[in-house]
Amino acid sequence: MQNTLSSEDSAELVRLWRRRQTLAPQEMGRMYGIVGSALGDCHPPELKALGEGRQELVAQFIYLKVLRLDADPEEGDEEGGGASERAAHSAPSTAFALCAYFRRYLIDCTRATRFRRRLSLGEEVSDEQLDAHLRGHRGPGRDAAGCLAEHGLRAADVVEAARRFIDGLGEPERLLLCEGFGREAPLSGVAARHAIASYHYRAGRLGLVHRRESLPADYGRTLLGGWIAQTLGIAIEAGNMDAIGAVFEILGAEASSS
C-alpha cells in the first residue's frame, strides 16, 4: 500500500516546491523528509533494472530533480514548462504524483545506463541510435547526427576523441568529470570522497560549473571548451549548441563508464 501525505504535509510540500531552488538548509531538510517519506512504499519496476541501492536512487532523485541543487536558480521549472507563474500547477501534492515523478527519473536513468553500457562495451552506435537517445534531452530541431555532420564528425569520432580527452586528464580532473559530469553526482560530494583540494577551481578550469544550455563566450578557455573548439572543431557559439549538446551527451556517457 502506497504512503499518503497528510493535508499539512501536502500543503507544506506545495509551498516549498514553489521556491525549491531558494530554500534555507532547514527547509531543504524538511522537503527531503516529506518526499522521502512519501516515496517509502514506492517501488517502480525500474529499480531492479538499475541495480543500485533504492535509498541512493531516492537521494539522487531528491537532490537532482526535487531540490535541483545543480540547476541555475533563474532556470525555468522543468515540470512546469519553465514559467514561474505555473509553479503551483506543477507542484505535486500527493504521494502518487511524487512516485510518478520518481519513476520518470528512473526511466531516464535506465535509458542512459543502457546507452552508456553499449559505449563501454565498444559497441558501434549509429547516428540514428545516437539521435534517438538524444531526442528526449533536446528540444525540437535538427537531429544530432546532422548537427555533428555539419562539423565533419560522426558519433564514433566523438566517442574516440572523448576517450582520449578523459585519458589525458589529471587524476582530480578525471574524477570530477567521470563522477560529477558522467554520473551527475554533486561535485562537492565527489571532492569529499576523493579528498580533492580546491575542487571548485578545478571544476571551473575544467568547464563543469557552467550551464550546458547557454555557455559563456569565454568557455573556450576551459579544458572542455578548448577540446570542443580545437580538437572537434566546433566553435563555442549559440548556433552550435545542438552539436555541443550531442558532444556533451557522448562525453557524459563515456565518462560514466570510465
Side-chain angles (χ1 to χ4, degrees), residues 82-168:
S84 59
E85 62 269 20
R86 286 182 288 182
H89 175 72
S90 68
S93 59
T94 66
F96 179 82
L98 283 171
C99 191
Y101 280 1
F102 181 46
R103 186 177 186 188
R104 184 190 309 170
Y105 170 70
L106 295 179
I107 289 171
D108 286 344
C109 289
T110 302
R111 289 171 177 165
T113 298
R114 288 172 181 164
F115 184 76
R116 290 164 182 169
R117 187 178 295 120
R118 291 197 61 186
L119 290 182
S120 68
L121 292 174
E123 295 184 23
E124 184 176 352
V125 177
S126 69
D127 290 338
E128 292 77 13
Q129 290 167 326
L130 169 66
D131 188 58
H133 176 72
L134 295 179
R135 197 172 296 126
H137 303 276
R138 192 186 65 242
R142 298 168 296 168
D143 61 76
C147 293
L148 293 176
E150 289 179 2
H151 302 275
L153 297 168
R154 298 172 302 136
D157 299 327
V158 181
V159 169
E160 184 59 35
R163 290 173 180 169
R164 290 196 299 268
F165 177 76
I166 294 169
D167 289 343

Side-chain angles (χ1 to χ4, degrees), residues 165 169 173 176-177 202-208 219 222-225:
F165 177 76
L169 292 173
E173 286 74 18
L176 289 170
L177 179 71
R202 292 179 185 274
R205 179 173 172 269
L206 184 55
L208 296 183
Y219 189 72
T222 68
L223 294 178
L224 273 172

Side-chain angles (χ1 to χ4, degrees), residues 24 30 41-42 62 77 130 145 161 180 195 204 211 218 220 224 251:
R30 178 61 178 145
D41 292 327
C42 181
I62 293 175
D77 185 285
L130 169 66
R211 293 170 57 191
D218 62 353
L224 273 172
L251 178 64

